[in-house]
């Protein structure tokens, strides 16, 4: 087994996939969340400001989905094939919602009629919620494990994805993104919308705390394999502990009106949740509920070392570039939203 | 219908619909770079209006392009799981590079292009326009490289047997520069330039016909026509190069394209016609020995015909390949004639008062679109029954877990959503065109408005 800095290449790529998923969740997470709370704003101007707060960046954020899918496809084609063909219906709903969401943002401002704008507002909000829920539901199913056979083919039936645990993960994801999105919008707004958003931030944080607690208890009781590693290695308890501190810090920073710190804390919460999942799953990527031997692991599902090496070079060149111009774009649109002639 | 045909219909439908938009983005992006470049060079405010006007149309097109583009990446996994496992190792890296180098570039700078007018300097904004255009061209590179690998695989070896078999990469650069990729990238780029420039031409002709924003329209027409003229000639050579690659590496596709059956005979080149599949002959108007000349520079040289290949290794739908190819060629020739004729008249200052020709140009926006679509139909149906040429059959590439009912469900959804999307696109595009560029006066009397005359005066009525 070839290694780089003592770690084999497929584990390196596991980290890359994890990092792009985390990047996606942090970036698209806030604009999905902003969409999910969109209907809480009543005034036309508030809705426009909320939309323009994500206007210049949502497209770039969504690219992380393409990159994330690409890294999984490239590095672990067997996992990509197994998971995507297993969850045909949720992924199709996800795609439809993604399309509706894009056109809602794009089309809303193109006509002044009230019914037109309201229609796209509703479509924007619902599609943001469907995108988030379906992602969460797929994640939840991957966490409990799938009935996959030796060849990695899904043996379950079409609607097995609708189970309590997966739905709970879906709702928790939604709560997390709502909180994350609301904090982002607070950062970008002023006056009355801002005041309103501070209330939404509080409520969505409470919503998140309740759902994540319920999910944790359910996991401990009914999905024991997701807490094995942390029980065997107590030092890993620093992950959930830090997470609790980060959530507490969100509340503290909000009261201090230091929203950038609050936003960073919420990004930390998202990262820690994904790190926790990675720690518990590794070296497995997809657990087979039929037989442990059929688990798709970092080793048996990875592309060849040659391929992984090439892609690590691509990532090493590409990621800093993406970082530079993502930073530039965010810097350009820093500060509170101001509407002008080219706005949505 | 079985899962295979349903999945093929769904992929063909979703990718055909998607492919309306990216070529428009690339071509329109190039035209916008020229417009904004002219604005920076001349300082003429009309070019600024022009860039802003087309940027709004660009945003509409780009938005739909992104939304419909993710669909195919997902379909690889949902509908073509075996294919994903087979090719993942080889061109996963091409798709990852596309995401990182191309999509991130274009989407990142798109925000600056659309919303950055008052936030960054003019030079920086121009830079963003260039980056968005380059980004969209880069994405074409990687996706065409991946597709070209499926046409002419290189830089790989096969590992495993039966259902476990998959291609593994052995040489990245051999994969990237596989025999057909360079020629096909150029062919696709030029097709995109034609799509975008004809959109500019079409909108400009419409304004000229309606006698609205006339000076603006003439300038835009000039820019569009310049790009279209150069592209239509360049496409002749790029297309010929692609055809030579097909002749060398995909003889079955070549034989199908011209409906050539008998391997011992010289092959004709049809202007139009059809393949009589029952009697294994082709009827139509042809240049005798034309295909022999194209491939061997000899009118009498025999060319491998369909009879030389086993029935299970031939494309099942011969006439789709044949007709698609001939429609593409006919449109290509028509575009050369149209742009040349238009350019001569433009130089003689006789172009814009020919109403019939303006009407032709206004409708001509469909020609490159049709050519781009049927060109891909030729490439993709001509590759059948293989999904990876000579290695993996389309019928073996499916997801084992997916049922026909699921695909019917998603196919219906896609049909409904895309029909709605297309109707909205046309509606909004029309509204934008009706609304016109940013300056005041949207009635017929505007040609007499002082502001416009002042603007017209400042550039002396010359056309670039």
């Amino acid at each position: 087994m070839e290694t780089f800095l003592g770690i084999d290449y497929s584990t390196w790529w596991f980290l890359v996939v994890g990092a792009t998923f985390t990047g996606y969740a942090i970036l698209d997470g806030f604009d999905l969340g902003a969409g999910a709370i969109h209907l809480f704003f009543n005034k036309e101007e508030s809705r426009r400001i909320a939309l323009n707060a994500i206007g210049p960046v949502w497209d770039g954020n969504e690219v992380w989905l393409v990159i994330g899918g690409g890294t999984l496809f490239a590095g672990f084609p067997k996992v990509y094939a197994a998971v995507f063909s297993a969850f045909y219906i949720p992924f199709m709903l996800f795609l439809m919602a993604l399309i509706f969401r894009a056109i809602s943002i794009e089309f809303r401002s193109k006509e002044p009629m009230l019914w037109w704008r309201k229609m796209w507002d509703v479509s924007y909000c619902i599609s943001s919620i469907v995108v988030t829920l379906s992602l969460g539901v797929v994640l939840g199913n991957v966490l409990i494990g799938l009935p996959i056979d030796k060849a990695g083919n899904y043996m379950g039936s079409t609607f097995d994805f609708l189970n309590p645990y997966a739905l709970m993960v879906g709702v928790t994801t939604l709560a997390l993104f709502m909180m994350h999105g609301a904090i982002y919008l607070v950062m970008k707004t002023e006056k009355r919308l801002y005041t309103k958003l501070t209330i939404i931030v509080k409520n969505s944080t409470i919503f998140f705390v309740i759902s994540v607690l319920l999910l944790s208890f359910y996991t401990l009781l009914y999905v024991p394999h997701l807490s094995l590693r942390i029980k065997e290695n107590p030092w890993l308890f620093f992950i959930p502990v830090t997470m609790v501190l980060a959530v507490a810090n969100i509340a503290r920073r909000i009261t201090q009106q230091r929203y950038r710190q609050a936003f960073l804390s919420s990004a930390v919460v998202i990262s820690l949740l994904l790190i926790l999942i990675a720690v518990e799953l590794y070296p497995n990527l997809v657990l087979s509920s039929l037989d442990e031997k059929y688990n798709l692991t970092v080793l048996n599902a990875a592309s060849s070392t040659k391929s992984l090496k090439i892609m690590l070079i691509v990532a090493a060149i590409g990621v800093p570039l993406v970082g530079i111009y993502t930073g530039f774009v965010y810097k350009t649109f820093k500060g509170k939203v101001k509407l002008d002639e080219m706005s949505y | 219908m079985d899962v295979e045909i349903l999945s093929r219909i769904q992929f063909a439908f979703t990718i055909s619909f998607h492919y309306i938009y990216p070529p428009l983005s690339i071509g329109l992006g190039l035209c916008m770079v020229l417009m904004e470049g002219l604005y920076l060079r001349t300082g003429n405010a009309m070019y600024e209006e022009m860039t802003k006007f087309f940027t709004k149309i660009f945003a509409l097109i780009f938005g739909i392009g992104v939304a419909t583009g993710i669909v195919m990446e997902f379909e690889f996994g949902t509908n073509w799981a075996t294919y994903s496992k087979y090719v993942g190792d080889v061109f996963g890296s091409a798709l990852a590079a596309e995401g990182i180098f191309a999509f991130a570039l274009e989407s990142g700078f798109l925000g600056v292009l659309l919303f950055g007018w008052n936030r960054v300097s003019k030079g920086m904004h121009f830079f963003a326009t260039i980056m968005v255009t380059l980004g969209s061209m880069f994405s074409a590179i990687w996706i065409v490289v991946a597709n070209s690998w499926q046409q002419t695989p290189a830089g790989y070896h096969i590992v495993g047997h039966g259902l476990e078999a998959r291609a593994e990469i052995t040489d990245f650069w051999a994969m990237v520069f596989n025999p057909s990729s360079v020629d096909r990238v150029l062919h696709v780029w030029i097709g995109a330039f034609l799509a975008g420039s004809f959109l500019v031409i079409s909108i400009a002709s419409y304004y000229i016909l309606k006698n609205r924003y006339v000076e603006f329209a003439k300038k835009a027409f000039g820019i569009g026509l310049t790009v279209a003229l150069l592209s239509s000639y360049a496409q002749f050579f790029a297309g010929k190069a692609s055809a030579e690659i097909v002749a060398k590496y995909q003889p079955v596709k070549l034989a199908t394209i011209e409906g050539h059956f008998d391997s011992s005979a010289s092959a004709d080149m049809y202007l139009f016609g059809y393949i009589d599949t029952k009697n294994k002959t082709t009827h139509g108007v042809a240049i005798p020995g034309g295909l022999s000349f194209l491939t061997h520079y000899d009118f009498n040289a025999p060319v491998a015909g369909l009879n030389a290949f086993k029935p299970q290794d031939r494309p099942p739908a011969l006439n789709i390949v044949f007709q698609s190819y001939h429609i593409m060629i006919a449109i290509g020739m028509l575009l050369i004639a149209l742009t040349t004729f238009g350019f001569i008249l433009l130089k003689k200052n006789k172009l814009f008062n020919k109403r019939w020709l303006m009407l032709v140009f206004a409708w001509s926006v469909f020609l490159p679109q049709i050519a781009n679509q049927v060109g891909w139909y030729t490439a993709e149906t001509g590759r059948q029954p293989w999904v990876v040429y000579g290695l993996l059959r389309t019928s073996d590439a499916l997801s084992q877990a997916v049922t026909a009912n699921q695909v019917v469900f998603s196919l219906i959804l896609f049909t409904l959503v895309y029909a709605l999307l297309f109707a909205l696109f046309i509606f909004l595009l029309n509204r934008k065109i009706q609304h016109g560029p940013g300056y005041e006066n949207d009635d017929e009397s505007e040609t007499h408005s002082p502001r416009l005359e002042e603007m017209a005066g400042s550039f002396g009525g010359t056309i670039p």
Side-chain angles (χ1 to χ4, degrees):
Chain A
M1 175 84 8
E2 266 190 276
T3 60
F4 176 68
L5 301 177
I7 298 174
D8 60 88
Y9 280 96
S10 42
T11 301
W12 275 113
W13 198 254
F14 176 77
L15 295 173
V16 170
V17 172
T20 49
F21 282 13
T22 311
Y24 173 70
I26 291 173
L27 291 174
D28 214 22
F30 75 73
D31 65 57
L32 285 169
I37 59 175
H38 191 66
L39 291 182
F40 288 128
F41 317 129
N42 299 320
K43 287 212 178 67
E44 161 68 12
E45 205 200 342
S46 304
R47 289 181 174 183
R48 274 193 75 194
I49 290 172
L51 212 51
N52 279 287
I54 63 148
V57 294
W58 72 272
D59 221 0
N61 294 344
E62 212 167 274
V63 167
W64 284 80
L65 175 70
V66 183
I67 298 178
T71 55
L72 189 65
F73 181 36
F76 303 106
K78 283 182 185 171
V79 174
Y80 192 78
V83 172
F84 278 63
S85 59
F87 300 115
Y88 194 85
I89 300 290
F91 274 119
M92 288 298 153
L93 292 175
F94 174 83
L95 286 175
M96 300 298 157
L98 215 55
I99 291 170
F100 266 104
R101 187 166 179 274
I103 62 173
S104 305
I105 298 172
E106 214 52 67
F107 290 178
R108 183 189 185 278
S109 63
K110 302 291 186 279
E111 295 291 329
M113 294 87 79
L114 205 61
W115 65 267
W116 172 272
R117 296 199 160 191
K118 280 197 169 151
M119 176 177 80
W120 291 118
D121 282 332
V122 172
S123 160
Y124 170 54
C125 181
I126 293 177
S127 55
S128 300
I129 293 172
V130 172
V131 166
T132 311
L133 279 178
S134 45
L135 275 182
V137 165
V138 169
L139 175 68
N141 278 295
V142 170
L143 289 178
I144 44 178
L146 322 176
I148 47 169
D149 68 3
K150 192 165 172 264
N153 291 323
Y154 177 72
M155 307 304 278
S157 59
T158 310
F159 292 101
D160 283 359
F161 69 88
L162 290 172
N163 57 71
Y165 187 72
L167 291 174
M168 277 177 80
V169 176
V171 171
T172 309
T173 313
L174 180 63
L176 176 66
F177 284 2
M178 281 172 123
M179 174 183 81
H180 193 53
I183 297 171
Y184 177 79
L185 288 181
V186 160
M187 219 164 44
K188 303 294 287 182
T189 53
E190 45 198 355
K191 294 175 201 155
R192 278 169 61 184
L193 178 59
Y194 162 91
T195 319
K196 176 149 203 172
L197 273 160
T198 51
I199 302 166
I200 298 177
V201 169
K202 269 179 204 150
N203 291 340
S204 55
T205 309
I206 295 167
F207 177 32
F208 170 67
V209 169
I210 293 171
S211 47
V212 84
L213 280 177
L214 286 174
L215 182 66
S216 305
F217 287 127
Y218 194 100
T219 308
L220 288 170
L221 289 174
Y222 299 105
V223 199
H225 67 251
L226 286 176
S227 52
L228 280 181
R229 183 156 284 142
I230 207 165
K231 280 174 188 155
E232 286 163 11
N233 305 279
W235 64 274
L236 284 172
F237 268 101
F238 89 90
I239 299 173
V241 170
T242 318
M243 202 149 58
V244 171
L245 291 176
V247 174
N249 196 44
I250 292 174
R252 189 172 75 108
R253 294 304 190 183
I254 293 286
T255 348
Q256 293 173 344
Q257 305 192 341
R258 300 185 62 174
Y259 302 109
R260 274 176 77 162
Q261 272 75 13
F263 185 75
L264 285 178
S265 295
S266 141
V268 167
V269 173
I270 295 176
S271 314
L272 288 172
L273 276 170
L274 284 159
I275 288 171
L276 193 60
I277 290 169
V279 163
E280 289 297 340
L281 281 183
Y282 183 87
N284 296 305
L285 289 159
V286 181
L287 300 162
S288 171
S289 54
L290 299 179
D291 190 329
E292 251 181 36
K293 283 185 305 210
Y294 305 155
N295 285 356
L296 294 175
T297 70
V298 166
L299 291 178
N300 72 20
S303 287
S304 62
T305 307
K306 170 98 188 164
S307 186
L308 294 172
K309 271 186 188 170
I310 295 167
M311 293 187 298
L312 280 166
I313 295 170
V314 169
I317 302 169
V319 170
L321 282 175
V322 177
I324 290 169
Y325 46 73
T326 307
F328 168 73
V329 172
Y330 278 85
K331 198 168 159 274
T332 303
F333 297 99
K334 198 176 68 178
K336 306 287 185 189
V337 176
K338 296 272 184 291
L339 298 178
D340 64 27
E341 40 144 10
M342 298 300 274
S343 295
Y344 282 130
Chain B
M1 282 200 276
D2 61 7
V3 181
E4 183 191 350
I5 192 72
L6 285 165
S7 289
R8 283 184 64 189
I9 291 171
Q10 178 170 300
F11 200 85
F13 175 62
T14 50
I15 203 160
S16 295
F17 186 80
H18 172 65
Y19 203 65
I20 297 170
Y21 303 96
L24 283 176
S25 303
I26 294 175
L28 196 55
L30 179 69
C31 292
M32 280 156 49
V33 168
L34 294 176
M35 289 166 188
E36 199 170 358
L38 281 168
Y39 166 57
L40 289 187
R41 244 185 83 179
T42 63
N44 186 337
M46 189 170 273
Y47 286 121
E48 190 191 12
E49 285 303 335
M50 200 181 283
T51 315
K52 284 190 176 173
F53 172 72
F54 283 105
T55 300
K56 286 181 181 167
I57 292 177
F58 182 88
L60 179 64
I61 292 165
F62 192 91
I64 302 182
V66 171
T68 55
I70 299 173
V71 173
M72 270 72 63
E73 184 184 342
F74 275 55
E75 278 176 333
F76 287 158
T78 51
N79 295 66
W80 304 96
T82 310
Y83 159 87
S84 294
K85 282 187 264 189
Y86 195 92
V87 302
D89 194 281
V90 173
F91 73 62
S93 47
L95 286 184
E98 176 173 22
I100 280 189
F101 292 130
F103 285 161
L105 191 66
E106 58 182 330
S107 300
F109 282 100
L110 183 75
V112 181
L113 170 63
L114 300 185
F115 303 100
W117 291 95
N118 305 326
R119 285 181 177 260
V120 294
S121 68
K122 284 177 187 173
M124 192 64 225
H125 190 273
F126 183 49
F127 179 74
T129 312
I130 294 173
M131 285 302 117
V132 170
T133 307
L134 278 181
S136 58
M137 288 174 71
F138 286 165
S139 27
I141 294 184
W142 295 106
I143 202 71
V144 175
V145 161
N147 183 275
S148 296
W149 185 85
Q150 285 175 250
Q151 306 279 354
T152 52
Y156 70 97
H157 65 158
I158 303 295
V159 178
H161 297 283
L163 285 172
E164 291 290 301
R166 66 173 187 168
E168 279 190 1
I169 199 162
T170 54
D171 183 344
F172 178 71
W173 295 110
M175 183 276 289
V176 172
F177 293 101
N178 67 66
S180 62
S181 55
V182 175
D183 288 314
R184 296 176 86 235
V185 166
L186 292 175
H187 197 42
V188 162
W189 272 352
I190 299 168
F193 297 158
L194 286 166
S197 56
F198 269 94
L199 180 67
V200 174
I201 289 174
S202 169
I203 294 171
S205 314
Y206 175 79
Y207 285 150
I208 291 165
L209 281 170
K210 294 279 169 189
N211 205 21
R212 296 171 59 193
Y213 314 107
V214 174
E215 286 309 315
F216 172 92
K218 284 180 179 174
K219 284 208 156 300
F221 194 104
I223 294 171
L225 187 62
T226 309
V227 174
L229 178 79
L230 296 175
S231 304
S232 60
Y233 279 92
Q235 193 65 306
F236 178 83
F237 295 102
K240 189 172 173 294
S242 271
E244 281 167 5
I245 298 287
V246 170
K248 194 168 169 191
Y249 293 94
Q250 297 179 311
V252 199
K253 192 194 273 184
L254 185 80
T256 315
I257 277 172
E258 291 294 359
H260 179 57
F261 283 92
D262 185 358
S263 294
S264 58
S266 71
D268 304 337
M269 189 191 281
Y270 284 86
L271 298 177
F272 53 87
Y274 72 96
I275 302 177
D276 182 348
T277 45
K278 256 190 195 154
N279 300 315
K280 297 193 170 183
T281 53
T282 304
H283 305 283
V285 178
I287 304 167
L291 187 63
S292 296
F293 183 77
L294 183 79
T295 45
H296 301 293
Y297 296 99
D298 173 2
F299 283 101
N300 299 314
V303 171
L306 284 165
N307 286 340
F309 303 95
K310 284 183 233 144
Q312 69 267 29
D313 291 345
R314 293 178 207 158
L318 297 178
N319 265 311
I320 292 180
V321 185
F322 182 93
Q323 301 302 350
S324 303
Y325 176 78
H326 287 92
I327 293 169
M328 176 185 76
I329 297 292
I331 291 176
M333 297 301 152
L334 187 60
L335 291 182
I336 291 177
L338 193 59
T339 51
T340 310
F341 184 54
F343 193 72
I344 291 170
L345 289 182
L346 181 73
K347 285 290 137 192
K348 289 184 176 171
N349 268 327
K350 287 179 185 167
L351 177 64
F352 296 119
N353 49 16
K354 291 210 167 30
R355 283 192 68 82
W356 70 270
L357 192 59
M358 286 296 108
L359 204 62
V360 170
F361 273 116
W363 285 99
S364 66
V365 64
F366 293 106
L367 292 173
Q369 284 290 343
I370 296 169
N372 283 338
Q373 294 282 344
V374 293
W376 274 107
Y377 295 170
T378 313
E380 299 298 277
T381 55
R383 188 194 57 214
Q384 300 302 328
W386 304 99
V387 65
V388 181
Y389 197 70
L391 297 176
L392 181 67
R393 284 175 188 276
T394 310
S395 53
D396 294 332
L398 291 164
S399 299
Q400 304 295 319
V402 172
T403 64
N405 284 339
Q406 288 175 325
V407 189
V408 169
F409 164 76
S410 57
L411 190 54
I412 292 171
L413 269 185
F414 276 120
T415 312
L416 294 175
V417 171
Y418 282 7
L420 174 72
L421 198 52
F422 192 68
L424 283 166
F425 170 67
I426 296 297
F427 170 71
L428 287 170
L429 183 64
N430 181 48
R431 291 292 289 237
K432 283 207 181 305
I433 294 170
Q434 298 304 336
H435 183 265
Y439 51 83
E440 308 91 64
N441 293 313
D442 44 339
D443 54 31
E444 290 82 348
S445 67
E446 70 179 340
T447 42
H448 304 296
S449 84
R451 174 138 183 245
L452 203 80
E453 271 170 11
E454 181 195 314
M455 285 167 118
S458 69
F459 52 77
T462 50
I463 282 140

